Amino acid sequence: MSHNREEKLEAFGALLDVLDELRVKCPWDAKQTNQSLRPNTIEEAFELADALLKEDSTNIEKELGDVLLHIIFYAKIADEKAQFDIADVCNALREKLIFRHPHVFGDVTVNGSGDVVQNWEQLKLKEKGGNKSVLAGVPDALPSLIKAYRIQEKASNVGFDWDDAHQVWDKVKEEIAEVQAEIEKGNVADIEKEFGDLLFSIVNAARLYKVHPDNALDRTNRKFISRFNYVEAKAKEAGRNLKEMTLAEMDALWDEAKNLEKGSR
């Protein structure tokens, strides 16, 4: 269902009214702080990400609501401290969007989305109170895989990147060789370091070929879970315990699962 602008504003205002009342009358809502809400916010963001990956529109709507609740809750807490309120949040965001889109609200000309992204990073460095360095905007708490992608993406936006995507494979091969060399030496600390370098180079390769590594790895995780669940279920049907089965027996069931996937396409 699509609502007009007035209906959307009315719905948002009604939501703010409900939170105002809960903050006063509900013992749980009344005692919440930034720090008590923070772990739940992270969980809600992951639940939204899960719904988005599944293209589950019903749960996307639900999880967006949960995330929105946290946004207005933090703004409410700040309002009580006379720091800012939800209107300040909206106004700051509106001003930022206008500033970072001079090709829409100004006289700048761009040739495609690549130019938009590069301009975006340059404009962030110019903003009052904005990032003072190219990588300053990458949150420390980001999961490592996503953080590596964002670091590389931001560096690329200012020209620090491979001239040709094919060049990255030489780096990947170099990092694989370095991992193998450290494994032969048996130095645990250096093995970890070289594995980190290898993973970073793989993320770089994915980025250069327009693949988000987190999405790609999640897809593989889901595929593995589905196939392994099949193996486990088939073993149970046969009255077998996985620990008692040989690897060859489990591999045979694994291949069955793969063939079923191919047949369903």
Side-chain angles (χ1 to χ4, degrees), residues 22-243:
L22 289 175
R23 186 67 170 162
V24 174
K25 297 180 180 179
C26 174
W28 187 89
D29 289 281
K31 72 175 186 178
Q32 296 311 304
T33 66
N34 285 341
Q35 295 310 313
S36 70
L37 286 172
R38 181 178 174 275
N40 292 338
T41 306
I42 295 170
E43 183 178 342
E44 297 297 354
F46 275 106
E47 289 179 359
L48 173 59
D50 190 53
L52 291 167
L53 282 168
K54 294 175 180 176
E55 293 288 349
D56 183 346
S57 61
T58 299
N59 273 321
I60 290 173
E61 178 185 0
K62 172 184 173 293
E63 300 303 341
L64 281 172
D66 291 343
V67 171
L68 178 58
L69 170 60
H70 282 245
I71 292 170
I72 63 174
F73 213 139
Y74 289 122
K76 176 66 178 175
I77 292 170
D79 191 9
E80 293 166 354
K81 296 177 180 179
Q83 295 171 336
F84 59 84
D85 63 18
I86 193 65
D88 295 314
V89 173
C90 292
N91 287 333
L93 176 58
R94 176 182 54 80
E95 291 171 6
K96 180 169 69 175
L97 290 173
I98 292 171
F99 179 77
R100 293 189 188 176
H101 290 81
H103 54 287
V104 176
F105 301 104
D107 55 5
V108 172
T109 300
V110 294
N111 294 310
S113 61
D115 285 356
V116 174
V117 174
Q118 290 186 3
N119 289 344
W120 183 280
E121 294 297 339
Q122 294 298 325
L123 289 164
K124 285 169 74 172
L125 295 174
K126 297 177 182 177
E127 282 178 348
K128 181 181 179 181
N131 297 331
K132 302 305 181 201
S133 69
V134 172
L135 300 181
V138 180
D140 290 337
L142 271 182
S144 296
L145 190 69
I146 299 174
K147 183 190 285 189
Y149 183 88
R150 289 294 290 139
I151 288 168
Q152 295 165 5
E153 189 176 47
K154 285 179 174 291
S156 175
N157 288 336
V158 294
F160 191 75
D161 205 354
W162 302 97
D163 292 327
D164 188 325
H166 290 90
Q167 295 172 326
V168 74
W169 297 113
D170 289 335
K171 184 64 175 175
V172 171
K173 292 173 185 176
E174 175 188 326
E175 298 298 349
I176 291 173
E178 291 180 5
V179 169
Q180 292 172 328
E182 294 304 329
I183 288 173
E184 290 176 6
K185 293 177 185 177
N187 188 325
V188 176
D190 284 343
I191 290 172
E192 181 181 68
K193 170 184 172 295
E194 296 302 340
F195 261 114
D197 291 347
L198 173 58
L199 289 170
F200 195 83
S201 69
I202 291 291
V203 171
N204 232 339
R207 177 186 60 83
L208 287 165
Y209 286 92
K210 313 301 181 187
V211 172
H212 197 294
D214 191 65
N215 292 344
L217 184 57
D218 186 81
R219 183 175 181 176
T220 296
N221 288 342
R222 291 176 187 277
K223 180 172 62 179
F224 185 94
I225 290 169
S226 175
R227 292 177 182 176
F228 194 84
N229 285 347
Y230 178 88
V231 172
E232 192 173 29
K234 285 297 181 180
K236 188 174 182 180
E237 286 178 15
R240 303 287 302 280
N241 186 306
L242 286 181
K243 289 184 178 180

